[in-house]
Amino acid sequence: AADADAWRSRRIYQLLTDRFGRSVTTSACDISARAYCTGSWLGIVDHLDYVRDMGFDAIWISPIVSNIESTTAYGQAFHGYWANDINQLNQHFGSADDLNRLVKEVHDRKMYIMVDVVVNHFVANSTNTSTTVDFSSITTFPSANFFHAEHFIQSTDYTQNQTAVEQGWLGDDKVALADLDTENPDVVNTMNAWIGNITKTYSIDGVRIDTVKHVRKDFWPAFAKASGVYTIGEVLDNRVDYVADYTKVIDGVLDYPTYFAATQAFGSTTGNLSVLVDTVTQSQNSYQHGLFYSGSFIENHDQPRFPNSTNNTALIRNAIAWSFTNDALPILYYGQEQGFSGGNDPWNREPLWPTGYPLGEERPLVTHIRSLNQARKIAGIFSNSSFYSTASTFIPQSSSGLIALSKPPMLSVFTNIGSNFTGKVPPKWTIPSSAKLFKGKKQVVDVLTCAYFKTDGSGGLIAYADNGFPRVFLPAEALDVAENTDLC
Ligand code: ABC
Ligand code: CA
């Protein structure tokens, strides 16, 4: 089984099982209908090489357990978060044989598989409105006794009433998410036994835990231990100190504070880069393991896609590059590589198959992402893995709109001046020799453009911003020692 240290060098591709790949051709996927579109575990198998060939060595798939079958005011449970029976698989995604086949194919490629799991709530299969939740139809826990009293979480609760956040209900009177009584020892035992069983039965390497802030903190250590694998939790909040507490009870978090800061910073040419610098620095200092076991992302299935708010290709490339070059595990949400631009749920859950899964030069973001994956891998090999445990530091820049991040042996530089920069002289990043990143005169390569640069006699470097694009530098000698990549 894979623990946090085994995962820290990984690069994760997040996909929605229903939308990533289908093994049989059915009708078109109507995104607005919020219905099952027949993606499946065997469909993932068919396109696993597509993921691997971009340089990823792990996938995160949707929850695998049986959900409600009804069609609600918010459509069907194609996302997998409306569990009804955790002891059955979601048959829309395939059989136990199919899931075993997927895991085998993943492992044959030396990749890891992470499964999304939900503890916080279940959903009733039949009548499910605020006044008439039919608890008897919740197969795993068929009585109101297993749930907190019905009361929906109010938006003001999120900053004012943590007990309500933990014991109130998510959802609304159209689809009520019955909140599991995770204070009840029988419930706790059932969930801990279940997670240990599911990871063992299917040889799962890691779990992404849903709605972590909605369950009391001291529930999590035993659950994480029972899983036997790496745990990364969703704590949807932009406050670093609030999120930091959860890094003490599970291995890491999906790093939402930095998500908010990074999408804001690179979201426009007036974005605030110092908020990003401050957020990252605070997280490095206050998360239990710094950012090392946490996850870095700029898109997921709950947020509008990054290109939904800007079509500036330079900003998009900076945002993606950011998520691959810091201390946290990079997580790419399927469709980013093809430039998808859907808005809020459900529009950010497009089917991938209409693209035909192209990986060639005609898809510039695919090339960008592959280079970033390879650069991270090479940095790890060249540094004998110290790259994965060396905390990044920002190198202050005098011109505005620029930041530089040192994470030896990698240097990444970003800008939000955008691709339509019209000033006379493009701004330049300056890396002083005092940053001690490079020793003496060295050749360094920007792996995103394959342009070679030379550091000065004392290891300093100056690079102009070309077209507003980011640059990711590695020592040229790093590319020589790393076998089996075709980077530059
Ligand atoms: C359905 C419809 C939606 C409809 C909704 C009411 O019902 O599709 O159109 O608006 C699943 C499905 C969803 C479905 C929901 C509810 O279930 O995927 O399609 O929405 O039925 C996780 C998963 C998510 C999943 C669930 C439920 C949980 O990733 O896919 O949704 O299993 C909260 C939870 C968070 C959850 C998220 C969707 O809702 O905490 O775990 N995600 C504030 C709160 C957050 C809250 C967020 C959105 O609003 O603090 O706790 O997330 O409601 C920042 C602040 C944040 C603030 C944000 C908006 O701004 O710091 O605190 O978040 O600056
Ligand atoms: Ca709860």
Side-chain angles (χ1 to χ4, degrees):
D3 62 8
D5 280 317
W7 274 85
R8 69 192 303 162
S9 63
R10 296 274 161 166
R11 305 170 299 273
I12 305 170
Y13 185 87
Q14 178 199 354
L15 61 84
L16 299 188
T17 303
D18 185 61
R19 301 296 161 91
F20 172 75
R22 49 185 191 180
S23 58
V24 290
T25 303
T26 49
S27 52
C29 179
D30 174 3
I31 302 171
S32 71
R34 307 172 189 231
Y36 281 104
C37 285
T38 71
S40 66
W41 295 318
L42 290 183
I44 302 173
V45 170
D46 288 348
H47 300 287
L48 208 47
D49 288 344
Y50 167 84
V51 178
R52 183 202 52 194
D53 291 350
M54 262 184 287
F56 293 98
D57 53 8
I59 58 169
W60 150 16
I61 66 172
S62 301
I64 61 176
V65 301
S66 182
N67 275 225
I68 62 166
E69 284 301 326
S70 40
T71 300
T72 72
Y74 296 125
Q76 299 173 341
F78 71 92
H79 41 70
Y81 294 101
W82 296 342
N84 180 263
D85 181 0
I86 56 172
N87 296 311
Q88 304 287 330
L89 293 176
N90 187 332
Q91 58 192 8
H92 294 271
F93 300 155
S95 64
D97 283 352
D98 297 346
L99 181 55
N100 282 320
R101 169 86 194 285
L102 169 61
V103 173
K104 181 179 186 307
E105 295 283 346
V106 167
H107 289 161
D108 283 352
R109 288 168 178 74
K110 299 193 163 54
M111 297 167 77
Y112 281 166
I113 185 162
M114 174 183 286
V115 165
D116 210 325
V117 301
V118 187
V119 169
N120 181 63
H121 52 265
F122 282 74
V123 181
N125 220 342
S126 49
T127 322
N128 180 18
T129 64
S130 57
T131 42
T132 56
V133 172
D134 176 9
F135 290 97
S136 73
S137 74
I138 300 179
T139 309
T140 311
F141 295 111
S143 138
N145 297 330
F146 296 111
F147 296 88
H148 290 130
E150 192 184 308
H151 163 77
F152 287 103
I153 300 169
Q154 305 298 304
S155 56
T156 49
D157 290 338
Y158 284 115
T159 49
Q160 290 166 27
N161 188 347
Q162 179 61 23
T163 305
V165 170
E166 291 172 6
Q167 302 186 9
W169 290 32
L170 281 167
D172 55 27
D173 58 7
K174 295 189 187 119
V175 178
L177 308 190
D179 201 71
L180 194 61
D181 181 2
T182 43
E183 280 69 34
N184 174 335
D186 292 339
V187 167
V188 171
N189 289 339
T190 300
M191 295 311 291
N192 290 352
W194 168 76
I195 190 66
N197 183 45
I198 209 102
T199 51
K200 269 190 219 71
T201 303
Y202 297 107
S203 304
I204 301 303
D205 303 300
V207 290
R208 178 271 190 190
I209 309 176
D210 191 63
T211 34
V212 164
K213 74 179 195 183
H214 297 285
V215 176
R216 66 188 162 95
K217 292 186 190 73
D218 54 6
F219 168 87
W220 294 116
F223 182 82
K225 183 153 189 266
S227 79
V229 297
Y230 170 62
T231 49
I232 183 167
E234 181 221 19
V235 181
L236 205 178
D237 207 287
N238 68 354
R239 293 168 294 175
V240 174
D241 53 346
Y242 182 89
V243 174
D245 285 347
Y246 292 91
T247 64
K248 302 186 174 89
V249 295
I250 48 177
D251 290 324
V253 291
L254 294 159
D255 190 16
Y256 257 112
T258 304
Y259 159 82
F260 285 114
T263 50
Q264 173 281 130
F266 297 117
S268 77
T269 53
T270 57
N272 187 334
L273 294 170
S274 55
V275 169
L276 174 61
V277 172
D278 291 348
T279 304
V280 170
T281 308
Q282 282 166 27
S283 312
Q284 287 177 314
N285 292 334
S286 61
Y287 287 11
Q288 174 91 52
H289 307 284
L291 289 171
F292 292 123
Y293 299 149
S294 287
S296 176
F297 63 97
I298 56 152
E299 288 185 17
N300 66 29
H301 59 303
D302 290 334
Q303 307 297 337
R305 289 185 181 272
F306 187 81
N308 187 251
S309 48
T310 177
N311 55 16
N312 190 310
T313 54
L315 293 176
I316 294 168
R317 286 187 190 217
N318 275 275
I320 293 177
W322 165 262
S323 64
F324 278 83
T325 47
N326 64 77
D327 295 343
L329 283 74
I331 304 177
L332 189 98
Y333 180 50
Y334 86 101
Q336 282 189 259
E337 72 277 16
Q338 301 296 345
F340 283 4
S341 60
N344 270 310
D345 168 13
W347 300 104
N348 52 3
R349 301 171 178 193
E350 308 92 325
L352 190 58
W353 44 88
T355 66
Y357 306 91
L359 283 175
E361 299 284 328
E362 75 281 11
R363 311 307 304 166
L365 292 178
V366 167
T367 309
H368 186 62
I369 290 159
R370 190 196 287 112
S371 301
L372 289 162
N373 271 326
Q374 291 184 333
R376 227 179 141 84
K377 182 177 178 185
I378 290 172
I381 298 171
F382 182 66
S383 68
N384 247 317
S385 291
S386 73
F387 172 74
Y388 302 115
S389 53
T390 303
S392 62
T393 52
F394 290 97
I395 302 173
Q397 298 298 301
S398 45
S399 343
S400 65
L402 304 181
I403 51 175
L405 188 73
S406 165
K407 186 171 169 63
M410 183 186 280
L411 165 69
S412 320
V413 295
F414 310 93
T415 175
N416 62 3
I417 62 170
S419 45
N420 308 320
F421 178 74
T422 51
K424 282 205 193 78
V425 190
K428 56 177 191 287
W429 294 280
T430 307
I431 310 303
S433 53
S434 59
K436 294 204 163 59
L437 189 54
F438 306 111
K439 289 180 194 69
K441 221 178 181 72
K442 280 265 157 68
Q443 274 219 313
V444 294
V445 189
D446 166 17
V447 301
L448 299 180
T449 58
C450 293
Y452 279 71
F453 290 70
K454 259 206 186 87
T455 59
D456 63 28
S458 43
L461 178 68
I462 288 180
Y464 285 89
D466 186 11
N467 226 353
F469 284 5
R471 296 186 187 274
V472 173
F473 295 101
L474 286 175
E477 53 184 338
L479 273 61
D480 301 336
V481 303
E483 85 290 4
N484 119 50
T485 58
D486 52 3
L487 185 59
C488 298

